[in-house]
Amino acid sequence: MISEYRRSLEAEYLNRKFSLYERMCHLFDIDLPLPRRLEEKFKDGINFCHLRVMPDAVFSTAIFLPVIAFILLSIIFFIFGVLSVAMLLMMVMLSAVIFYYLFSYTTFLTKYFRGKAAAEMTLAVTYMSISLEINANLESAVAFAASNLSGPLGLDLKKILWDLETGSMLSVVNGLDWLSEKWKSENEEFVDSVSLLKTAINQPPDRMHSNIKEAVRIMADGTKFRMKKYALKMRSPLKILNAFGILLPMLGLIFFPILVIFIPEIARSELIAFSYIVLFPTIAYLFLRQYFYAKPYSYHQVEIKNLEEFGRQKTVALILSLAVALVSTIYLLYMLSSVEAVFSQEQFIYSFLIIAALSSSVIIYSFSSAFNNLKKNEEILKIESELPVALFQLSVSSNVGKPIEKNIEDLLPRIKTLKISEIFKGILYNITTFGMTLDSALFEKKVGIIHSYPSRIISMSFRLLTDISKRGMSFLSMALRSMSEFLRDADEVSNATDEILSETTSDMQIQAWVFAPLSAGIVVGLMAIVIYIFSFFGQNLQDLQKVFGEGGFSDATMSSFSFLFNIGKQIPFHYFQLIVGIYLIEMVFIISHFLGELNFGNDEVSKIFELGKIMLIAIFVYSLAVLSLYFGITSLIKMPEVLI
């Protein structure tokens, strides 16, 4: 068993693909002098996160990438004739944000690894405990946990096995000591649990079983307490996001007419567009990224995202959504350009439809990608929840000592109402019809039942079932009973985590569903009325001046009311609505992304479907707010369109 796991180490640990960040560091690997303290800081992060880069490459990437971004943006804006001092300041701010992010990336990645590892620690202790109940061999337990964990902790466990293979580590106990020292400051209960597991193998059977159960209990209790602290810590970032990520930028747009009056050189469409479409969403994303590393714990581990069919479906959905967005946007922009007016109802409608088309493309992508797999995804989640019950019932059947196929046959009537019964029916069919072994019936390429249910926890459970069954039915019964208890405890911890985080996730949903779209709709609706009225009176004032000629208003008077002429021309309303609408779509996307991480972990199908659902609700609320406000007020104030 151990040798089988070790054969996959070279592919999984040594020859793993370079990440995007590692490729960037290799591209910008320029030998720059580094202060010793800074070099040590980068080196600590590089070693902790198993990065294959040099400290000077990290520093040079942080310097040159923002500089290149600044130069490219400057060239683009210069070509389009919108480069100004204010725009240069905005680009400097963006470059500073990118520099800070890249300069602190190793620190950020260390925190990310700590968060990911904390999510894996409960599973690691569970997997090691299950393995020790079957076979009191510590190295086998580490290998079993390493094969079923794909994150930072799984990488550390693979490194322990590789070091044992190459002789750079003398024993697995030394490896676990190194692991405990590495994660001591992050999770003390994990260190305590590992210590109990290390000592358990030298105890009598009863004492060993007691130590193993105690290790799992310590991790379960510690995880619940940690989740409560995590949920409480999330409240402040969400309040800050509300204030500075959504409310403050929206309030800034409300005061736009004042900017036109007092600082007209700042109230330029390209400057507002760059700030709201590029700068503010980037800052909001990087701010939230510091807190939403990953969901702290997840019992469910659906892996539909790894299927080729799902990948192809996402590609088709992406092409379809991009086609909808491009065709509809180009057509509506053409129609918008044909309207010659400072402000008109047609401009309002066309710019609104562009926002609806862009958000619809996101919705189409989400629903098209996830819809066909949603039923399968829910089925897998249901089966994962039913695993403890099914394994316990199988342990009862296996206690008699019959062959495995007979035990499965006896099991089916007792679980016929459960979804998991389909897996056992498939196993029995393959064994009785094709004469397959249990291992082949489950894991044979193309025909193995387990390939129809892509889930790490399902695969782990049935892989364990095949390994244990080779040692005898009585031993299988005892091991399955223990595994059922461990999985039930893990499911309870996951449910407790969801309950603790429910307040945080509810706040995020309200932000995405109601607060952000309602704020955007009110801002756009009010701005439409303000620009409408100001432009109307400005044009009438100019008409009066033409009528009265030289005896009309003085130049000083006309200068005083110049903002009435310019407010609709400084930034045309349809530009304004497009800026606010795109900003809204970006913010809803960002909130949905992090909400998906909290709610679904690595469940890609559920995350994509949730994105589409949230975007649909958000654009509906925005549409209701902006259309009601605009048509409600314009129905009371009858004014003609304002021509150029």
Side-chain angles (χ1 to χ4, degrees), residues 39-99:
E39 183 178 359
E40 290 298 323
K41 174 191 171 184
F42 287 149
K43 192 176 292 184
D44 290 342
I46 289 169
N47 293 334
F48 189 91
C49 302
H50 304 281
L51 292 173
R52 291 156 294 180
V53 297
M54 299 301 292
D56 55 347
V58 173
F59 186 62
S60 60
T61 301
I63 290 178
F64 287 108
L65 196 61
V67 170
I68 291 172
F70 178 84
I71 293 172
L72 289 176
L73 287 174
S74 300
I75 293 172
I76 292 171
F77 291 144
F78 177 77
I79 292 172
F80 285 96
V82 295
L83 193 63
S84 63
V85 175
M87 183 65 79
L88 286 172
L89 289 175
M90 288 295 179
M91 289 191 295
V92 168
M93 288 178 61
L94 179 64
S95 299
V97 170
I98 296 173
F99 170 78

Side-chain angles (χ1 to χ4, degrees), residues 156-365:
D156 284 344
L157 293 173
K158 291 180 178 72
K159 182 180 185 303
I160 291 174
L161 294 175
W162 179 256
D163 289 343
L164 289 172
E165 181 76 12
T166 58
S168 56
M169 191 173 288
L170 297 178
S171 70
V172 71
V173 174
N174 293 338
L176 291 176
D177 289 341
W178 165 79
L179 190 68
S180 299
E181 184 65 27
K182 179 176 180 177
W183 299 106
K184 181 171 62 177
S185 61
E186 176 64 29
N187 198 320
E188 292 182 2
E189 58 266 24
F190 175 68
V191 177
D192 295 339
S193 297
V194 169
S195 297
L196 281 172
L197 294 178
K198 284 191 298 184
T199 58
I201 58 173
N202 298 319
Q203 302 291 333
D206 292 343
R207 182 64 179 169
M208 183 184 79
H209 181 71
S210 175
N211 280 7
I212 291 174
K213 292 198 70 173
E214 180 67 12
V216 176
R217 187 196 64 78
I218 289 173
M219 274 307 302
D221 293 344
T223 301
K224 290 177 184 177
F225 177 73
R226 191 171 295 274
M227 293 311 96
K228 190 172 183 179
K229 287 179 62 179
Y230 180 85
L232 292 173
K233 285 174 65 177
M234 286 306 306
R235 293 179 182 176
S236 294
L238 286 175
K239 289 178 181 177
I240 294 173
L241 175 68
N242 260 336
F244 296 100
I246 299 174
L247 183 60
L248 194 60
M250 291 298 180
L251 287 175
L253 290 174
I254 291 176
F255 291 107
F256 176 75
I258 300 175
L259 289 177
V260 174
I261 295 171
F262 294 104
I263 322 175
E265 62 273 7
I266 292 182
R268 298 172 59 184
S269 56
E270 64 272 9
L271 194 61
I272 302 295
F274 182 80
S275 301
Y276 280 83
I277 295 176
V278 179
L279 184 61
F280 293 159
T282 301
I283 293 174
Y285 177 83
L286 296 181
F287 170 77
L288 282 177
R289 183 73 272 173
Q290 298 180 59
Y291 296 93
F292 291 83
Y293 306 123
K295 185 180 176 181
Y297 177 79
S298 179
Y299 172 73
H300 299 290
Q301 299 180 59
V302 183
E303 293 186 321
I304 286 181
K305 64 181 181 180
N306 295 332
L307 296 179
E308 291 184 7
E309 295 83 359
F310 182 60
R312 286 195 296 268
Q313 192 169 331
K314 283 178 63 178
T315 302
V316 172
L318 180 62
I319 294 172
L320 177 63
S321 62
L322 288 176
V324 169
L326 286 174
V327 172
S328 57
T329 301
I330 291 172
Y331 172 75
L332 290 169
L333 284 174
Y334 170 76
M335 296 299 294
L336 197 59
S337 64
S338 65
V339 180
E340 296 183 355
V342 173
F343 182 88
S344 70
Q345 186 168 295
E346 286 82 359
Q347 289 175 324
F348 173 83
I349 296 297
Y350 288 142
S351 57
F352 168 77
L353 289 176
I354 290 174
I355 300 304
L358 293 175
S359 59
S360 296
S361 67
V362 177
I363 296 168
I364 290 170
Y365 168 75

Side-chain angles (χ1 to χ4, degrees), residues 600-617:
F600 307 111
N602 295 323
D603 184 356
E604 192 73 17
V605 173
S606 297
K607 285 198 289 188
I608 292 177
F609 185 77
E610 187 73 6
L611 167 63
K613 189 168 67 173
I614 291 175
M615 188 66 72
L616 180 63
I617 295 172

